[in-house]
């Protein structure tokens, strides 16, 4: 029953600019969630949002950077549960960036939805990731190149 979310989105910006939105905590917070991400392989980090009791979700995604190839690929584990250290969703998010003549193709693959209890999360995230792509696009299109500082 393994389900995988796969999405593709085009940005009219170079990979280096899109990459910043995938790896800078303050930019990630703008389109995704509060986090303490660091782009270092093996580093643990968290995304935090409001708990969703109907999904048995305490509001924290526990993650670890699995692979990072600057401007090309980023993957991290994405685990969650009802709290008290119990993990009911053990998945992996993988981003791939491909430069084109007009910008960047961004590919998302979110895999690991293997349990029946993960189906509601799968359904929610499948649509939710599309909204997040739109959020990135909005921020990219309103930000002026060269004015984003760490």
């Amino acid at each position: 029953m393994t389900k995988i979310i796969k999405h593709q989105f085009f940005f009219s910006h170079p990979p280096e600019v899109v990459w910043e939105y995938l790896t800078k905590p303050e930019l990630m917070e703008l389109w995704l969630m509060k986090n303490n991400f660091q782009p270092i392989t093996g580093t643990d980090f968290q995304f935090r949002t409001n708990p969703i009791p109907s999904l048995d979700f305490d509001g924290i995604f526990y993650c670890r950077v699995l692979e990072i190839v600057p401007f090309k690929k980023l993957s991290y584990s994405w685990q969650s549960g009802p709290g008290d250290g119990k993990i009911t969703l053990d998945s992996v998010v993988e981003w791939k960036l491909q430069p084109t003549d007009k910008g960047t193709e961004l590919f998302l693959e979110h895999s690991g939805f293997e349990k029946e209890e993960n189906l509601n999360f799968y359904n929610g995230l499948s649509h939710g990731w599309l909204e997040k792509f739109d959020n990135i696009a909005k921020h990219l299109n309103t930000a002026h190149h060269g004015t984003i500082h760490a």
Side-chain angles (χ1 to χ4, degrees), residues 17-117:
V17 174
V18 177
W19 181 257
E20 288 194 333
Y21 280 83
L22 300 179
T23 58
K24 286 198 169 183
E26 65 276 14
L27 294 178
M28 293 165 79
E29 185 176 334
L30 290 176
W31 66 271
L32 189 53
M33 281 176 265
K34 288 188 175 171
N35 66 88
N36 60 344
F37 179 81
Q38 291 183 347
I40 302 165
T41 303
T43 303
D44 292 324
F45 68 99
Q46 295 178 355
F47 286 113
R48 290 180 169 261
T49 187
N50 296 324
I52 307 172
S54 63
L55 290 177
D56 269 341
F57 173 52
D58 66 356
I60 304 170
F61 289 108
Y62 301 90
C63 308
R64 173 174 287 159
V65 180
L66 302 174
E67 185 180 2
I68 190 157
V69 181
F71 315 122
K72 292 187 173 151
K73 183 178 177 187
L74 170 67
S75 68
Y76 42 82
S77 61
W78 177 283
Q79 300 178 323
S80 66
D84 298 326
K86 184 177 180 212
I87 296 297
T88 50
L89 173 64
D90 188 359
S91 64
V92 172
V93 172
E94 181 178 277
W95 300 98
K96 286 185 182 168
L97 295 82
Q98 189 174 314
T100 69
D101 292 343
K102 297 189 166 113
T104 305
E105 289 285 353
L106 180 63
F107 299 88
L108 166 71
E109 188 170 295
H110 192 165
S111 60
F113 300 92
E114 295 174 6
K115 303 177 194 159
E116 194 72 35
E117 62 192 300

